Amino acid sequence: MPELPKVYDPKKVENKWYKYWLDKKYFHAVIDEKSKPFTVVIPPPNVTGTLHVGHALNNTLQDIVVRKKRMEGFVTLWLPGTDHAGIATQNVVEKELAKVGVSRHDIGRKDFTDKVWQWREKYGNIIIDQLKSLGASCDWDRERFTMDEAYSKAVREVFVHLYRNDLIYRGYYIINWCSRCHTALSDIEVEHLELKGNLWYIKYPIKDESSHITVATTRPETMLGDTAVAVNPNDKRYKKLIGKSVILPLMDREIPIIADKAVDPSFGTGAVKVTPAHDPNDFDIGKRHGLEEINIFNDDAKVNENGGKYDGQDRYQAREAVVADLEKLSLLEKTTEHLHAVGHCYRCDTVIEPRLSLQWFVKMQPLAGPAMVAVEKRKIEFVPKKWTKIYFDWMENIKDWCISRQIWWGHQIPVWYCQNCEEMIVDTITPSKCPTCKSSELIQEEDVLDTWFSSALWPFATLGWPEKTVDLRYFYPTSLLSTSFDILYFWVARMIMMGIHFMDNIPFDKVYIHALIRDAHGKKMSKSRGNVIDPMTIIDKFGTDALRFTLASLAVPGRDVFLSQERIEGYRNFANKIWNVGRFILSNVADIKEKMSYKKADLELADIWILSRCNDLIKEVDKYSNNYDFSKAAKSIYNFIWSELADWYLELSKQRLYEKDKKAKKTVQAVLLEVFDRTLKMLHPYMPFITEEIWQMLPGTSESIVVADYPKCDDKKINKESEKEMQLIMDVVVAVRSIRSELKIAPARRIKVILSSGYSNYLNILRRHKDYLISLAKIDELLIEKNAKRPDYSAIAVEHGIDVFIPLEGLVDAVEELKRIKKELVSVELELEGIRKKLKNKEFVSKAPQHIVSKEKDKEGSLLAKLEKLEEQQRIFG
């Protein structure tokens, strides 16, 4: 039998096994009508993207679920793909062109989109290759792209269907305009930041009177497009002014004073300027009162001809000029500081300009209703549950979705305009002539669809819709969607709406919302902070399995992940531990060529215990996996391997492995192989590479652990009595080891131990298994007596009502030990005093991050326990 090398080297293992898995087509889902499907569609990363820790977390968690389901016998499809990412991809290619002094307008639409396709061919698969490095077991034969030919057909079908069913319309509306990207953005693509600004109080002279009305505004430059002043109808201060007119300063235009309940009397002066073309609230007021809509800005946020003498000025230059002119005319009453939320483009951080524009919209309320019912009736469940309320909050207040974007890269809207008779043609197929006048002079709508429009079709379009494919029939609806909270509205809600509308069925059963990854101090990762962890660098340094297991172990539902290299290094050590366990077991079963069995009658306590705990573990992992509690599942496996299998059972197995008793040796070999085989299978979804490398060397294995049967719990092997007995033995051993450690008695030094108790049943267990105690605790002389007297000059520990006495004469120098204890007591007391001062500081407790405060409290608890131990030792030697 081949031996495992002394040191685990991930670089020698990972590429070898991933290629093997691909060659064997283990990730390819083959439809089997007799088996249940389990389907996951990957959240398609942007074609511009590279793997960041958020991707690494989400795809690791998906892969854990998928690998386990595959081993459980499901026909498992994890469907991969990438998103064309309209604005993001266009920006990247535009920047490349700018390096050689060329803009997209210089080369025209066709040549520009050709260049984007070329860029995609060259760089678009970087993130796919990185996902493969992560071990993602996707069905790469079914990889999709949101602009591939079949997918584009689906997008057109959806648009035309919605239009013909009066769910898509074109109209003028206030939209969020990015003057950098030159496109409209939907409300949820706008990020609002609290910024310090000003409130300018401007006097508007009342027509034919010597008085004025003062309005407060955060944007004085937009007054150039004012068409009214509004007050609340119940505001007594302005009752007499309603119906009168003012003369708009700087523009010398007469505009009315109107009453509208939307006006907040407590804001500013209670009177507001109304600019219907540049504020969404003003737009609504304008519609109610039939006000004129005057657009004063061009696409680049410069003032247009409607802005009078300010024509051509940038919006911020215009603001300064307007304020200066108002001051000259003595129409600026005052200026105060004002904190307000300002919308920014989610792509380029440019301040958004609300702007009246002709755009395409989806009517959302008719689609939202069925999507809400599906979640209300628990056809779709969110994990953690708190996201259900957030989903409903958004759906209940949903607005029509602006789906048109003024860019070139994306799905060009399937609408054509006849230049001869102005007929508008909406069709899935490019028309050759106008159906009304037969003219061939047709121009296609220049706008493209919002990237999220095509992404909303992902669960069914990737499976072949609108064709009635076998894949669509078998794999839809999908089983699980795992994603981040920040695209709950962008993507998840819209997929639910589209899936129900076009498939008459939900797109997925469960939505798992994973946490945000922060650094070790709880801060958001960003390049500017210098705290970004690059997963590819981590994989190169520590191996893929260490990264995957770290991410899984930290994925507590509903809690952010605090990631550091130190944590990853810790789980790299876990990989080394697994490797060493494998080396030990394989070296001790070298003579075995096939699977072994054992007789129940030949098992001793340690065997019965480890088999019981292994089956407990299977139950635990299943329970946590079903609840998507990856952290608890991972930690259960970790604790079993490290703290039970390696630390206890392997130690207890050595005597029989090295004995001449062949029967005893074969029994322990069989138990080791059964437990290790099952443990590796449970661990495989988390750490696929190291488990495959070791599992392949176990006797009696075949093919691959990827397609091996996932272990099922054998309830007959769960023996709670053996677990209790073994726990008692382990606790006594730990008590002896703790005394050794505290008193600096060398681990190899043989000692005398006296175990005393009034509980005969406990003493009988210890007598039956005294060989375990002698071996594990390195005991030279062991006395087990009922109610034995404590010897003079001895250390004591108490476990389960059992007194553990260790006579110290000849083991410890009492004088030197007392000196050491007193010195350590002073050090601990000083440290404890410092922590208590910090915790008594109300400002620290209220302002410091919660995890920092908790850390200090944990330190306090540890120091108190240490103090108690030292005081006990002082009593022994004093």
Side-chain angles (χ1 to χ4, degrees):
M1 181 184 289
E3 285 187 8
L4 288 177
K6 283 187 178 180
V7 179
Y8 174 56
D9 184 355
K11 289 176 183 174
K12 289 181 180 176
V13 167
E14 292 173 2
N15 288 339
K16 172 184 77 175
W17 286 120
Y18 200 83
K19 183 179 183 302
Y20 174 79
W21 296 332
L22 290 179
D23 290 345
K24 292 285 187 178
K25 296 275 188 185
Y26 289 144
F27 305 157
H28 181 67
V30 178
I31 292 171
D32 179 358
E33 300 294 349
K34 294 176 184 176
S35 300
K36 282 185 177 181
F38 186 89
T39 315
V40 178
V41 288
I42 200 170
N46 288 353
V47 73
T48 55
T50 53
L51 197 75
H52 57 62
V53 283
H55 290 130
L57 171 66
N58 192 21
N59 287 288
T60 292
L61 300 183
Q62 288 174 82
D63 198 38
I64 288 168
V65 175
V66 165
R67 284 179 181 270
K68 184 172 185 286
K69 291 293 182 183
R70 186 181 290 118
M71 294 172 76
E72 287 173 340
F74 288 85
V75 177
T76 308
L77 171 61
W78 186 14
L79 198 150
T82 49
D83 192 286
H84 67 278
I87 296 172
T89 308
Q90 177 156 317
N91 282 348
V92 168
V93 178
E94 283 194 88
K95 284 175 184 175
E96 291 296 311
L97 290 174
K99 289 176 184 176
V100 292
V102 176
S103 76
R104 64 181 165 113
H105 300 286
D106 294 332
I107 62 174
R109 184 169 194 145
K110 186 182 182 305
D111 286 350
F112 177 76
T113 52
D114 285 347
K115 284 199 174 292
V116 182
W117 276 107
Q118 289 164 17
W119 185 92
R120 187 250 173 185
E121 290 303 314
K122 191 173 181 181
Y123 299 108
N125 279 328
I126 289 174
I127 197 162
I128 294 296
D129 293 337
Q130 291 174 331
L131 285 171
K132 290 176 180 178
S133 297
L134 190 66
S137 62
C138 297
D139 187 342
W140 299 109
D141 297 333
R142 286 182 168 96
E143 184 183 341
R144 297 300 301 271
F145 177 52
T146 54
M147 279 183 64
D148 66 38
E149 189 177 343
Y151 202 99
S152 297
K153 180 183 178 183
V155 172
R156 281 191 172 195
E157 287 279 352
V158 166
F159 183 94
V160 172
H161 169 90
L162 292 174
Y163 177 80
R164 288 176 180 170
N165 284 272
D166 199 29
L167 290 169
I168 281 182
Y169 65 93
R170 191 183 190 216
Y172 281 97
Y173 202 81
I174 282 282
I175 49 91
N176 306 294
W177 182 261
C178 176
S179 57
R180 156 66 184 80
C181 298
H182 286 275
T183 188
L185 300 173
S186 66
D187 289 344
I188 57 175
E189 290 173 307
V190 177
E191 293 178 350
H192 288 88
L193 303 175
E194 288 282 331
L195 298 178
K196 282 184 179 177
N198 291 317
L199 263 182
W200 285 270
Y201 289 76
I202 305 168
K203 300 174 184 175
Y204 281 42
I206 296 171
K207 184 186 177 187
D208 298 331
E209 293 184 18
S210 57
S211 59
H212 64 269
I213 185 170
T214 301
V215 302
T217 180
T218 58
R219 299 198 61 199
E221 70 278 10
T222 62
M223 69 180 292
L224 305 175
D226 283 0
T227 54
V229 169
V231 297
N232 191 289
N234 300 316
D235 193 333
K236 293 176 182 177
R237 294 172 293 176
Y238 301 118
K239 284 263 187 193
K240 292 179 181 178
L241 296 180
I242 296 168
K244 293 188 176 184
S245 296
V246 296
I247 303 301
L248 180 63
L250 309 180
M251 299 304 289
D252 200 30
R253 184 167 66 239
E254 182 181 337
I255 59 175
I257 299 173
I258 61 173
D260 196 283
K261 287 182 179 179
V263 178
D264 179 2
S266 66
F267 177 78
T269 63
V272 296
K273 54 190 277 315
V274 182
T275 320
H278 295 288
D279 183 278
N281 295 322
D282 292 3
F283 177 78
D284 291 338
I285 292 173
K287 285 295 180 193
R288 284 195 290 271
H289 296 270
L291 300 177
E292 186 182 359
E293 297 157 347
I294 301 173
N295 181 11
I296 63 163
F297 289 123
N298 293 317
D299 289 359
D300 56 3
K302 288 182 179 177
V303 178
N304 62 23
E305 67 278 4
N306 292 329
K309 69 176 185 177
Y310 305 97
D311 186 4
Q313 293 184 15
D314 172 81
R315 53 183 163 171
Y316 299 118
Q317 290 174 329
R319 179 179 296 178
E320 289 178 13
V322 164
V323 169
D325 288 346
L326 289 170
E327 282 181 319
K328 285 176 191 173
L329 295 168
S330 300
L331 293 174
L332 187 65
E333 191 172 285
K334 64 176 179 177
T335 306
T336 60
E337 285 189 354
H338 180 67
L339 190 69
H340 61 140
V342 178
H344 290 69
C345 174
Y346 81 117
R347 285 291 178 198
C348 68
D349 294 327
T350 302
V351 172
I352 288 300
E353 188 61 54
R355 185 167 180 254
L356 190 66
S357 179
L358 186 60
Q359 300 286 343
W360 289 92
F361 296 87
V362 176
K363 290 180 184 175
M364 297 302 279
Q365 285 190 345
L367 296 170
M372 290 173 71
V373 170
V375 177
E376 282 167 1
K377 291 188 174 180
R378 300 188 69 182
K379 290 180 180 178
I380 299 173
E381 291 186 49
F382 287 90
V383 181
K385 286 182 180 177
K386 68 173 185 178
W387 294 106
T388 307
K389 183 181 182 303
I390 295 165
Y391 169 83
F392 282 129
D393 287 346
W394 185 67
M395 295 292 272
E396 284 164 3
N397 297 288
I398 202 164
K399 293 181 180 178
D400 286 356
W401 174 17
C402 177
I403 55 169
S404 44
R405 298 291 180 268
Q406 290 67 47
I407 56 174
W408 290 351
W409 174 244
H411 294 279
Q412 198 167 349
I413 292 175
V415 172
W416 290 262
Y417 305 102
C418 177
Q419 300 304 289
N420 187 49
C421 71
E422 299 184 353
E423 175 75 12
M424 185 172 78
I425 305 146
V426 180
D427 208 338
T428 57
I429 301 165
T430 304
S432 57
K433 59 185 178 181
C434 172
T436 302
C437 71
K438 311 304 178 189
S439 170
S440 58
E441 290 183 48
L442 304 177
I443 294 178
Q444 188 173 357
E445 168 68 67
E446 291 195 353
D447 290 355
V448 301
L449 290 164
D450 177 11
T451 298
W452 297 104
F453 185 90
S454 50
S455 300
L457 324 181
W458 190 248
F460 56 91
T462 50
L463 293 169
W465 189 93
E467 306 304 324
K468 293 179 180 178
T469 64
V470 178
D471 273 8
L472 186 64
R473 178 187 57 77
Y474 185 76
F475 290 112
Y476 189 93
T478 68
S479 312
L480 169 71
L481 178 79
S482 175
T483 188
S484 58
F485 67 89
D486 54 341
I487 54 175
L488 180 60
Y489 312 138
F490 281 112
W491 191 44
V492 180
R494 289 166 175 171
M495 280 192 289
I496 294 172
M497 288 185 264
M498 293 296 188
I500 292 171
H501 186 79
F502 286 97
M503 293 296 298
D504 197 28
N505 202 346
I506 56 171
F508 27 71
D509 302 324
K510 289 267 195 307
V511 179
Y512 174 78
I513 305 289
H514 68 73
L516 180 70
I517 296 190
R518 299 181 181 275
D519 69 11
H521 307 291
K523 291 180 179 173
K524 193 173 179 179
M525 290 189 182
S526 67
K527 289 179 183 176
S528 59
R529 283 198 180 104
N531 62 351
V532 171
I533 292 177
D534 175 14
M536 299 311 295
T537 303
I538 293 298
I539 286 171
D540 186 60
K541 188 174 181 180
F542 299 114
T544 300
D545 287 333
L547 173 63
R548 285 172 61 114
F549 199 84
T550 305
L551 294 170
S553 68
L554 297 175
V556 178
R559 193 186 302 169
D560 286 346
V561 172
F562 291 0
L563 187 64
S564 66
Q565 282 212 25
E566 289 74 22
R567 283 184 181 271
I568 301 164
E569 191 172 358
Y571 286 114
R572 190 270 314 272
N573 296 339
F574 176 52
N576 292 338
K577 185 76 169 181
I578 296 160
W579 190 255
N580 290 331
V581 169
R583 274 175 51 78
F584 173 83
I585 292 172
L586 288 168
S587 68
N588 283 286
V589 296
D591 55 326
I592 309 299
K593 304 299 178 191
E594 55 191 30
K595 284 194 174 182
M596 300 178 71
S597 60
Y598 50 80
K599 291 179 180 177
K600 191 176 178 181
D602 296 333
L603 300 175
E604 59 179 58
L605 175 65
D607 305 324
I608 297 166
W609 165 74
I610 199 69
L611 288 166
S612 180
R613 287 295 303 125
C614 183
N615 283 281
D616 283 336
L617 179 66
I618 294 167
K619 266 190 175 177
E620 281 177 36
V621 172
D622 278 347
K623 181 180 78 173
Y624 296 138
S625 299
N626 291 338
N627 293 328
Y628 300 97
D629 196 336
F630 299 96
S631 175
K632 283 184 179 174
K635 285 173 182 172
S636 293
I637 299 170
Y638 175 95
N639 290 333
F640 177 79
I641 291 173
W642 198 300
S643 304
E644 295 180 300
L645 179 61
D647 285 357
W648 295 100
Y649 187 71
L650 292 195
E651 288 302 313
L652 287 169
S653 70
K654 286 176 182 177
Q655 189 174 352
R656 284 179 290 164
L657 287 169
Y658 304 152
E659 276 180 358
K660 290 180 180 178
D661 184 339
K662 289 183 179 179
K663 186 178 174 184
K665 182 179 179 180
K666 286 198 176 296
T667 298
V668 78
Q669 284 176 324
V671 172
L672 274 171
L673 286 171
E674 178 180 317
V675 170
F676 198 44
D677 170 80
R678 297 182 127 214
T679 306
L680 287 175
K681 286 173 179 174
M682 282 185 274
L683 182 62
H684 173 73
Y686 297 81
M687 303 178 85
F689 295 106
I690 192 170
T691 50
E692 181 76 278
E693 180 73 7
I694 299 170
W695 189 82
Q696 288 283 346
M697 294 191 182
L698 295 183
T701 57
S702 62
E703 281 237 38
S704 167
I705 196 170
V706 171
V707 289
D709 289 340
Y710 193 83
K712 292 177 181 175
C713 174
D714 184 346
D715 287 326
K716 291 177 184 175
K717 290 182 180 178
I718 293 178
N719 187 315
K720 291 301 174 184
E721 199 56 41
S722 73
E723 291 183 27
K724 286 177 187 174
E725 290 190 13
M726 197 67 201
Q727 192 62 53
L728 176 66
I729 292 163
M730 292 189 294
D731 288 343
V732 170
V733 170
V734 168
V736 174
R737 287 174 176 174
S738 296
I739 293 172
R740 276 183 179 277
S741 174
E742 289 160 15
L743 300 181
K744 306 290 187 290
I745 301 169
R749 180 88 180 263
R750 292 280 168 176
I751 58 174
K752 179 179 179 179
V753 174
I754 301 164
L755 302 178
S756 170
S757 177
Y759 299 109
S760 298
N761 57 329
Y762 284 174
L763 295 178
N764 289 335
I765 292 166
L766 296 173
R767 286 189 188 104
R768 281 201 305 273
H769 305 292
K770 65 180 182 180
D771 288 351
Y772 289 176
L773 296 167
I774 290 166
S775 169
L776 293 167
K778 303 289 191 292
I779 297 171
D780 187 43
E781 184 182 350
L782 176 63
L783 297 177
I784 303 172
E785 298 177 2
K786 190 167 185 177
N787 299 324
K789 187 182 174 185
R790 178 181 178 179
D792 294 335
Y793 189 42
S794 64
I796 181 173
V798 180
E799 279 296 340
H800 299 281
I802 297 165
D803 292 331
V804 180
F805 303 131
I806 299 181
L808 298 175
E809 198 166 339
L811 288 174
V812 179
D813 184 327
V815 176
E816 287 302 313
E817 189 59 21
L818 193 58
K819 282 182 187 175
R820 181 193 69 78
I821 291 165
K822 285 179 177 177
K823 187 178 177 183
E824 199 169 346
L825 270 169
V826 172
S827 171
V828 170
E829 283 167 349
L830 280 171
E831 193 177 351
L832 189 58
E833 187 184 349
I835 285 171
R836 281 175 167 169
K837 274 183 184 175
K838 200 182 279 188
L839 290 172
K840 282 178 184 175
N841 184 332
K842 289 180 181 177
E843 194 172 349
F844 168 75
V845 174
S846 62
K847 290 186 178 178
Q850 188 57 45
H851 72 280
I852 297 290
V853 176
S854 297
K855 201 173 180 181
E856 292 300 311
K857 286 179 179 176
D858 290 344
K859 275 188 198 173
E860 181 188 29
S862 298
L863 287 169
L864 281 169
K866 191 172 184 180
L867 193 67
E868 195 178 326
K869 293 266 187 190
L870 288 167
E871 286 169 347
E872 168 63 21
Q873 289 172 28
Q874 190 178 32
R875 283 192 289 274
I876 293 169
F877 296 105

